[in-house]
Amino acid sequence: MATTTVRSVVGAVALSVVCLTGATGCSSDSGHDASDVGSPLVKGLRTVAADSGRSGPVTYLDAAAVRGLGKRFAAIGRPSSSLLNGYTPGPWAGHLKADQIDTAVDTKAAGHWEGSFDAAAITASLKANGYTRGDQDGRETWTRPHGKGVALQVSKDTISYAVPGTARLSAVHPEKGASLADVEEYQRAAGCLGDVYRADFNPLTATKPVRLSALGQHADSTGKNTEVLCVVVKDEATARRLSAELRSVIREKSPRYEGAKVTVRQGERPLVRTTVPDTSAQRPGRLMLTDLNLWLAVTGL
């Protein structure tokens, strides 16, 4: 795909924070950048193959950080995988719980979790549920006959999974230089989001004005939450149009988005960044869960 040119993460920094002239302006938050090699978000994106970014949404979560923030953050503190829903117990029975996961990267068909797991108990439960040990892409894998259920790789500190017929475990074990962290649009979005404990990426597109959009959650040391909406677009004209739409929503819905800022960054793929601070009356994650006006402005472009 032409818009997913693979580049080094360091190369993305060179594009970073020159603001467009005119009405868009600049703000002090343009200094945030998570695109260096050591960023937790970028490390998470390195566990997912680049192709996964086109097939569906991608979510990164620092679950350990959220647990330290308190109950107010519970609604967005769980990994996005349906394997962890509370209605259908997974093949690991009660031996795997969400609070054992420290970081999670989940896509539509595969995921990678890091934490502290009872590998022996989990694999015993897998056996009891008809899973057998085998090999997939050179990795020890637990699967059920005839492709039923998920394929799992289990150790004491990592669990990887893939949905048969849709993805293989290689989707969360990409080769060097072939991960989401190596895709230019993801580099731009990660640098824009900054130091977030959660990031939700919509699918990457090649033909629409909006190439990639992502919503990040940032909490400071006092637990005050700020949501960061980052949108990678095809050109500067699209960036100006989108920034105007977002500002219009912020004005029309006042005081709902009080304190919100919209900035534009230049580069080969221009980027529009909107920061929205929460108040004590608003729960973290509202732009994703209940308050969709800004997302609608992006999708309607």
Side-chain angles (χ1 to χ4, degrees), residues 172-189:
V172 283
H173 294 285
E175 296 181 1
K176 185 176 181 180
S179 73
L180 287 177
D182 300 296
V183 177
E184 181 183 352
E185 287 83 355
Y186 271 85
Q187 294 173 11
R188 294 282 283 160

Side-chain angles (χ1 to χ4, degrees), residues 39-251:
S39 159
L41 173 56
V42 171
K43 285 183 177 179
L45 294 176
R46 288 201 179 283
T47 67
V48 180
D51 288 347
S52 299
R54 296 194 297 269
S55 59
V58 177
T59 297
Y60 162 82
L61 176 68
D62 184 342
V66 180
R67 289 194 291 272
L69 293 171
K71 294 182 179 179
R72 182 167 172 259
F73 292 77
I76 52 173
R78 290 177 60 87
S80 64
S81 172
S82 61
L83 294 176
L84 295 170
N85 72 63
Y87 303 101
T88 305
W92 36 70
H95 300 296
L96 172 64
K97 296 180 174 64
D99 61 8
Q100 297 170 344
I101 299 172
D102 291 336
T103 60
V105 183
D106 295 285
T107 73
K108 182 179 180 180
H112 179 78
W113 305 331
E114 298 183 2
S116 298
F117 309 112
D118 188 340
I122 291 172
T123 54
S125 182
L126 293 177
K127 290 179 184 178
N129 280 280
Y131 280 72
T132 58
R133 184 164 49 193
D135 179 277
Q136 186 182 113
D137 302 323
R139 299 175 180 87
E140 183 183 271
T141 308
W142 291 89
T143 58
R144 293 185 67 185
H146 311 298
K148 295 180 180 179
V150 296
L152 292 153
Q153 182 185 3
V154 179
S155 74
K156 66 178 182 178
D157 50 17
T158 63
I159 293 178
S160 297
Y161 70 89
V163 179
T166 306
R168 296 179 63 85
L169 282 172
S170 57
V172 283
H173 294 285
E175 296 181 1
K176 185 176 181 180
S179 73
L180 287 177
D182 300 296
V183 177
E184 181 183 352
E185 287 83 355
Y186 271 85
Q187 294 173 11
R188 294 282 283 160
C192 168
L193 291 173
D195 182 19
V196 293
Y197 62 84
R198 179 176 178 129
D200 290 270
F201 298 85
N202 277 333
L204 183 67
T205 60
T207 59
K208 296 181 179 180
V210 171
R211 302 304 200 216
L212 180 67
S213 56
L215 180 65
Q217 310 291 332
H218 171 79
D220 64 17
S221 59
T222 68
K224 182 178 180 181
N225 199 67
T226 298
E227 300 194 51
V228 186
L229 176 61
C230 294
V231 187
V232 183
V233 298
K234 69 173 184 177
D235 54 27
E236 293 181 7
T238 303
R240 292 191 180 95
R241 185 155 54 101
L242 177 58
S243 62
E245 290 285 341
L246 291 169
R247 289 194 181 91
S248 177
V249 171
I250 290 169
R251 287 194 302 269

